Amino acid sequence: MRGKYLPIFITFMALMILFLYPNNTLAKWAYKFVVFNDYTYVISDEYVTEIGREIGSVTKYSDVEGNYYGNFSNVYERGTKYYSIKGVSTKKAIAVEADGKYIKAIRKGEYAGWKYSPFNLIVAGIVFLIMLGALIFLVQKKMKRNKS
């Protein structure tokens, strides 16, 4: 009887893995960018000198294409600071500190990467465990019914 439910269990596990870990490729990024407050800012060739206040920093770095969350960058290491530019809205551009200079990053649009925080992963894991427990309970209940 146990072998009968193994394909169902394997299919269920595969679907959960695909849901929790969407497609990540090992390709290189198309352009250099930073993510600030869920928006992509493309790194330009222009340096700026009129810097405003510090507004954030890189929280995750990777040079391999994938799905990330937070203030992510594919070029700058974790801890690299973001600044506002005097007279320019952060909805248009920000400055990124690089080697003691400030390079302009122009807002391209909403970041299309993974928007799930670690908290959401924990919730998804709890939901997964509840679903797995329910599946095991139902299988055991059916097995007991079949033995009777």
Side-chain angles (χ1 to χ4, degrees), residues 66-97:
N67 296 314
Y68 304 99
Y69 64 90
N71 287 346
F72 167 72
S73 179
N74 68 346
V75 66
Y76 297 106
E77 296 291 330
R78 182 178 178 185
T80 301
K81 297 186 184 324
Y82 303 155
Y83 294 86
S84 62
I85 302 171
K86 288 183 180 177
V88 178
S89 168
T90 57
K91 291 180 180 180
K92 295 193 183 277
I94 62 172
V96 179
E97 187 175 18

Side-chain angles (χ1 to χ4, degrees), residues 25-142:
T25 62
L26 295 177
K28 293 289 184 183
W29 298 98
Y31 47 84
K32 297 177 183 180
F33 68 89
V34 296
V35 175
F36 171 63
N37 288 348
D38 296 327
Y39 286 91
T40 301
Y41 290 79
V42 178
I43 305 300
S44 71
D45 294 330
E46 182 183 346
Y47 286 92
V48 292
T49 55
E50 297 293 318
I51 301 304
R53 64 180 179 84
E54 182 180 327
I55 56 174
S57 66
V58 174
T59 58
K60 172 74 178 163
Y61 160 80
S62 179
D63 63 350
V64 178
E65 189 173 327
N67 296 314
Y68 304 99
Y69 64 90
N71 287 346
F72 167 72
S73 179
N74 68 346
V75 66
Y76 297 106
E77 296 291 330
R78 182 178 178 185
T80 301
K81 297 186 184 324
Y82 303 155
Y83 294 86
S84 62
I85 302 171
K86 288 183 180 177
V88 178
S89 168
T90 57
K91 291 180 180 180
K92 295 193 183 277
I94 62 172
V96 179
E97 187 175 18
D99 300 322
K101 296 179 182 176
Y102 302 93
I103 192 158
K104 188 175 190 178
I106 302 166
R107 184 164 154 171
K108 180 176 181 175
E110 196 169 0
Y111 178 56
W114 203 21
K115 294 187 179 190
Y116 298 111
S117 70
F119 175 76
N120 290 344
L121 286 178
I122 291 168
V123 171
I126 291 169
V127 170
F128 168 74
L129 291 175
I130 290 169
M131 290 173 62
L132 181 60
L135 178 67
I136 291 169
F137 173 77
L138 292 172
V139 168
Q140 287 179 343
K141 186 175 179 181
K142 186 166 184 162

Side-chain angles (χ1 to χ4, degrees), residues 8-22 114 121 123-132 135:
I8 294 169
F9 178 74
I10 290 172
T11 302
F12 176 75
M13 293 297 287
L15 289 172
M16 287 305 294
I17 289 170
L18 287 173
F19 171 73
L20 291 174
Y21 300 100
W114 203 21
L121 286 178
V123 171
I126 291 169
V127 170
F128 168 74
L129 291 175
I130 290 169
M131 290 173 62
L132 181 60
L135 178 67

